[in-house]
Amino acid sequence: MRILLIEDDREAAGYIARGLGEAGHVVEVAGDGETGLELAQSEQFDALIVDRMLPRRDGLDVVATLRGVGDTTPVLILSALGDVDERVRGLRAGGDDYLTKPYAFTELMARLDALARRLHPGQARTRFRVGDLEIDLLSRSVRRAGRSVPLQPREFRLLEYLMRHAGQVVTRTMLLENVWDYHFDPQTNVIDVHVSRLRAKIDRDFDRALLHTVRGAGYMIRDEADPAS
Amino acid sequence: MTRLTRLLRTSTFRLSVVYLGLFVLSVVTVLAYIYLNTSVLLARQTNETIDAEITGLAEQYRSGGLQSLVRIVAERSRSRDGGVYLLSAPGGAPLAGNISAMPPSDDDFDWIEFAYRSPPAGDAGEPETGTALARHFRLAGDFRLLVGRDIGAQRNFEALIRSTFIWALGLTLLLGLVGGLMMSRGFLARIENMTRTSQTIIAGDLSRRVPIAGSDDEIDRLAGSLNDMLDEIERLMAVARQVTDNIAHDLRTPLSRIRARIEDVLRSRQDEETYRAVLRSTLDDADRLLATFNALLSIARIESGVDRDALATIDVSAALADAVELYQPLAEDAGIGLAVEISDGLKARGDRQLIGQALANLIDNAIKYSTPVAGRDARQPAPAVAVSGRRVGSRLEIIVADNGPGIAAADRGRVFTRFVRLEESRSAPGSGLGLSLVAAVAKLHGGSVRLDDNRPGLRAIIDLPAAD
């Protein structure tokens, strides 16, 4: 992916650019809002990472300006302001996701991947398949190897989110935000317990595991025998 | 500014001046009304009397001629009932009457007001003088007749009313001003007292309080709420001081641990695996510190009340059910049974995230401190934690109860303070901020949280105002 990073903290920018480079992305860095906006408008990017507070032009203003001229490139906003209403303000300005500083690099990567995936059509899909696991959003049914797997409503939403992001790392915070709509940190491993329950239902009776734990990052649903998924 | 100008500038004084102005205006109106009415009435009476007499005399003149008129006029002149008469011959010589001369006037039938002088009656001393209102006529042969009445009494009466008028006005003004000044002085003294007290407080003595007179008037109420405000400020400052101390202590400990660990690994050469392990545990510690900072910041933000505008009507039943659902698997894994009893349709004005976090904190604590109770079915433990939500009148009552060791009654108030962790729970994970957050959230929503004995265990009760 070609990514534009607009961040005035040079150390943080260098650290993010290095990490993204190692993950195989091409990164352009702009040190202030004005330069960032010019770059975003003159070149094509797959995703934008925008710090909220920037010299010369505020981050939210950059995003709002881009959205105003019809630019739909996915935007991840980084901010030291973490309250829910700040977050709402960020998303209202046109940001697609909002990440509060300080964050783990894996969190940034996971969210960026999830954003880039939105580029591709898939929102309208109602069936997802990973290996021999299938989820049908219309009939609200889950089948593995042809056998029906009964799930609780929350487990269903959890699986749906994981399946929508199949092959990508999904962090605990992303699950908490998107499956439970909670924007705080419960400080306990509640999410892990929910995931292990889901895993017991979809993986335990089968020889190949699909729901994997990514150490230090989160979870990923993926069929390792099938590199395409 | 002198004391007097300060007194004259008080709002009480200005108010009494305005009031006095209105009062004087109404006094003037009433007195003027009385004066005008009385004088008009008196004047009309005089005129009517004079006219009636003229009619009588005219009849006498017509029937008896001049001689009869002279007799009647002379007769009436003696009666001393306030009548004024003069009948004069051509050339002005008086024929009969009780005044010495005709007033200068040419017009017939004209009303005239004049000062008269009456000739000495008989032998007795001095001539009388007075003011009279009269009409005069020319009769045939240039005889002249004047008929009138003395109006001295009427004029005296009018003068009396006028002077009463002026005295009343003067007294009203004087009493009003003096009263206004005295009232303002009392008011000013109390306000000055409050000003002096506030200046002492600004100078640093926060223990001072505004004096209360005990009359329960508006100034007393103002003083009362100022004192309440000062109490709250003093309390907040004490809390702030304690929080600072606690932050210093609770953050210094992990920071020194991180520092010691890094120093240790730098001093002694180690293999890469050890370095990695040290870095990993340092990262964990840093994350914990950040979480603590975030929790502190959000408590401070909630307590400052800036989120109050963002409150909307939320479904508390659903928020409670969501929180329970989030923790259900965790409780089951720990062998803790959850008994849940939530009434439908509980609504409150609030923030779903904050309410959710407060409920999560309470349920998390309850599960952490409970001990499993074996049920009849080995896989289904008996409830050790009970969560309930119901409406009581216009309030919502949310109860999270556990069967753990509980908290001694003496410590129950203290655990809401930031970083306060009881000795018994020092070993359990946690930052000591969970209950502070619950208390801050409850307060933001216009409610409260209290702890009770669950016999055995702890019962946390959140009380919130219900919304319809």
Side-chain angles (χ1 to χ4, degrees):
Chain A
M1 279 203 288
R2 199 169 136 71
I3 296 164
L4 172 61
L5 169 64
I6 314 179
E7 163 69 89
D8 60 323
D9 179 346
R10 298 184 65 151
E11 195 177 336
Y15 153 75
I16 296 171
R18 201 159 47 244
L20 291 174
E22 279 165 17
H25 301 295
V26 179
V27 185
E28 289 274 347
V29 180
D32 64 81
E34 206 61 57
T35 321
L37 185 61
E38 279 168 28
L39 265 171
Q41 284 180 322
S42 57
E43 293 178 36
Q44 191 63 44
F45 293 98
D46 297 311
L48 266 51
I49 303 175
V50 182
D51 184 55
R52 225 192 115 158
M53 279 184 268
L54 290 169
R56 292 181 69 201
R57 196 186 260 267
D58 181 70
L60 291 191
D61 192 40
V62 171
V63 179
T65 309
L66 286 174
R67 294 298 185 243
V69 298
D71 190 326
T72 57
T73 314
V75 172
L76 171 62
I77 296 175
L78 299 180
S79 172
L81 307 170
D83 299 296
V84 174
D85 43 336
E86 288 300 336
R87 174 184 195 88
V88 167
R89 209 167 295 158
L91 299 183
R92 209 170 275 157
D96 296 281
D97 200 356
Y98 193 99
L99 188 57
T100 307
K101 292 178 179 181
Y103 47 82
F105 185 72
T106 45
E107 186 77 38
L108 175 75
M109 279 297 299
R111 284 170 187 263
L112 199 59
D113 278 346
L115 277 191
R117 186 65 66 97
R118 282 192 208 163
L119 271 180
H120 311 297
Q123 288 291 56
R125 281 171 61 188
T126 57
R127 294 168 75 92
F128 295 88
R129 188 186 174 90
V130 174
D132 55 357
L133 177 65
E134 278 179 278
I135 184 168
D136 185 332
L137 303 184
L138 288 184
S139 65
R140 303 201 71 77
S141 62
V142 175
R143 302 175 79 81
R144 173 124 198 225
R147 257 193 285 159
S148 172
V149 182
L151 293 182
Q152 300 288 331
R154 189 72 68 179
E155 292 166 343
F156 186 88
R157 286 176 60 185
L158 180 56
L159 181 63
E160 176 193 338
Y161 189 79
L162 287 163
M163 295 283 271
R164 279 187 189 277
H165 298 93
Q168 299 173 358
V169 176
V170 169
T171 66
R172 291 173 180 82
T173 324
M174 286 163 80
L175 290 176
L176 204 58
E177 284 176 11
N178 292 292
V179 179
W180 278 270
D181 189 25
Y182 278 147
H183 295 275
F184 58 85
D185 179 5
Q187 302 280 318
T188 315
N189 60 338
V190 272
I191 298 302
D192 296 343
V193 183
H194 280 274
V195 172
S196 69
R197 299 238 150 176
L198 177 64
R199 178 179 282 141
K201 291 190 176 174
I202 62 169
D203 273 350
R204 189 160 60 195
D205 300 336
F206 302 90
D207 48 359
R208 215 168 60 237
L210 296 176
L211 179 48
H212 307 279
T213 302
V214 182
R215 208 168 154 233
Y219 299 97
M220 174 159 44
I221 206 157
R222 171 180 195 193
D223 182 8
E224 273 160 354
D226 175 13
S229 75
Chain B
M1 212 164 33
T2 69
R3 210 177 138 64
L4 183 65
T5 48
R6 213 157 33 190
L7 197 59
L8 295 183
R9 290 177 65 160
T10 55
S11 54
T12 320
F13 186 72
R14 288 183 204 182
L15 206 67
S16 42
V17 166
V18 171
Y19 183 72
L20 186 61
L22 287 172
F23 190 66
V24 163
L25 196 70
S26 53
V27 166
V28 166
T29 312
V30 168
L31 287 179
Y33 182 76
I34 291 174
Y35 173 74
L36 287 175
N37 263 3
T38 317
S39 62
V40 165
L41 185 71
L42 287 175
R44 194 191 301 145
Q45 263 180 352
T46 310
N47 293 0
E48 277 169 1
T49 313
I50 292 171
D51 280 340
E53 254 183 295
I54 289 171
T55 317
L57 288 173
E59 243 159 59
Q60 289 292 330
Y61 180 59
R62 260 198 306 278
S63 60
L66 191 61
Q67 293 221 300
S68 167
L69 187 63
V70 170
R71 202 187 63 242
I72 298 260
V73 167
E75 195 176 295
R76 290 207 181 165
S77 298
R78 279 192 296 274
S79 71
R80 302 215 161 267
D81 60 349
V84 171
Y85 307 94
L86 185 65
L87 181 63
S88 66
L95 293 178
N98 50 12
I99 58 172
S100 6
M102 278 284 173
S105 170
D106 299 326
D107 300 324
D108 228 359
F109 300 107
D110 197 21
W111 285 103
I112 41 175
E113 194 179 322
F114 64 100
Y116 67 87
R117 173 185 289 268
S118 53
D123 319 320
E126 299 162 31
E128 285 179 36
T129 59
T131 311
L133 184 70
R135 290 177 85 173
H136 90 293
F137 310 88
R138 264 170 226 282
L139 306 176
D142 210 17
F143 287 90
R144 290 166 71 185
L145 173 64
L146 178 139
V147 181
R149 291 198 72 80
D150 183 277
I151 53 169
Q154 186 191 336
R155 287 285 177 269
N156 282 345
F157 187 65
E158 284 171 1
L160 183 69
I161 292 186
R162 273 199 303 274
S163 70
T164 309
F165 193 114
I166 288 161
W167 273 104
L169 209 60
L171 273 175
T172 308
L173 273 170
L174 186 73
L175 287 177
L177 283 175
V178 169
L181 280 174
M182 280 174 52
M183 263 165 33
S184 312
R185 237 183 61 182
F187 187 77
L188 191 65
R190 293 175 68 184
I191 296 290
E192 297 256 279
N193 212 340
M194 290 169 93
T195 311
R196 269 198 303 279
T197 311
S198 353
Q199 269 153 2
T200 325
I201 293 169
I202 292 168
D205 182 3
L206 204 63
S207 64
R208 282 289 298 272
R209 289 296 176 267
V210 180
I212 290 178
S215 52
D216 198 30
D217 57 2
E218 70 277 10
I219 300 186
D220 262 11
R221 283 201 300 276
L222 175 64
S225 41
L226 281 177
N227 285 344
D228 290 348
M229 186 178 83
L230 289 169
D231 288 346
E232 179 71 6
I233 292 175
E234 202 179 11
R235 193 187 64 80
L236 285 177
M237 285 189 52
V239 168
R241 205 171 305 126
Q242 199 198 351
V243 167
T244 319
D245 293 349
N246 287 339
I247 291 178
H249 177 263
D250 274 63
L251 296 184
R252 196 186 284 143
T253 313
L255 282 171
S256 346
R257 200 167 57 223
I258 291 177
R259 196 183 177 288
R261 195 187 298 136
I262 295 176
E263 202 174 28
D264 179 50
V265 83
L266 283 177
R267 201 173 44 226
S268 52
R269 287 189 168 282
Q270 303 282 353
D271 56 295
E272 195 192 324
E273 196 44 51
T274 315
Y275 284 136
R276 294 191 78 85
V278 166
L279 280 177
R280 248 197 309 277
S281 58
T282 305
L283 190 62
D284 285 348
D285 276 349
D287 281 347
R288 260 196 296 282
L289 276 171
L290 283 169
T292 304
F293 264 119
N294 286 339
L296 275 175
L297 282 175
S298 51
I299 292 172
R301 193 180 156 90
I302 295 163
E303 282 182 344
S304 72
V306 288
D307 296 304
R308 202 165 284 150
D309 303 337
L311 302 187
T313 302
I314 57 161
D315 185 343
V316 176
S317 305
L320 196 47
D322 283 350
V324 168
E325 192 258 11
L326 182 67
Y327 278 93
Q328 187 91 50
L330 187 80
E332 280 171 23
D333 281 8
I336 306 286
L338 282 180
V340 183
E341 197 183 331
I342 305 168
S343 307
D344 282 335
L346 302 179
K347 296 251 185 342
R349 276 190 65 71
D351 180 311
R352 180 185 169 269
Q353 295 296 332
L354 295 179
I355 291 280
Q357 190 169 4
L359 296 174
N361 283 1
L362 288 181
I363 298 174
D364 196 290
N365 274 348
I367 294 173
K368 212 182 315 184
Y369 292 113
S370 283
T371 46
V373 180
R376 263 170 289 175
D377 180 350
R379 286 179 304 147
Q380 199 78 43
V385 171
V387 179
S388 69
R390 63 194 179 110
R391 186 171 173 145
V392 184
S394 64
R395 317 286 295 179
L396 301 184
E397 191 182 70
I398 299 167
I399 301 178
V400 179
D402 64 49
N403 70 351
I407 295 178
D411 290 330
R412 280 182 207 143
R414 210 156 62 83
V415 291
F416 290 111
T417 313
R418 289 177 189 74
F419 289 121
V420 167
R421 305 190 61 206
L422 302 174
E423 278 314 315
E424 302 88 290
S425 65
R426 282 266 166 208
S427 52
S431 57
L433 293 171
L435 283 176
S436 313
L437 185 123
V438 176
V441 169
K443 195 172 175 203
L444 178 79
H445 288 78
S448 64
V449 58
R450 63 177 201 277
L451 300 177
D452 248 339
D453 196 346
N454 196 37
R455 294 163 213 273
L458 186 69
R459 175 196 289 262
I461 301 142
I462 296 186
D463 164 272
L464 296 176
D468 294 306

